[in-house]
Amino acid sequence: MFGSLNLFAVGLVGEYVAKIMSEVKSRPRLIRSALIRNGKTTELLPDGKDA
């Protein structure tokens, strides 16, 4: 009985971690408001392209 409950709890934790990992994968790695190239600061538009 205890073994089956233990496996069930581990399965629930695994599902929770899998959902978190799939959500994090779709996010950008860095969020920044400016980009520095060759010593010049450029502002970035919301889509990530140079202004």
Side-chain angles (χ1 to χ4, degrees), residues 13-27:
V13 171
E15 288 290 326
Y16 181 69
V17 170
K19 283 187 180 186
I20 291 174
M21 292 296 291
S22 66
E23 186 178 324
V24 167
K25 261 186 166 177
S26 62
R27 291 184 182 170

Side-chain angles (χ1 to χ4, degrees), residues 31-49:
I31 300 173
R32 54 189 171 191
S33 61
L35 181 66
I36 301 173
R37 284 190 189 145
N38 300 327
K40 295 181 183 177
T41 304
T42 59
E43 295 297 320
L44 290 177
L45 298 175
D47 62 357
K49 297 188 169 132

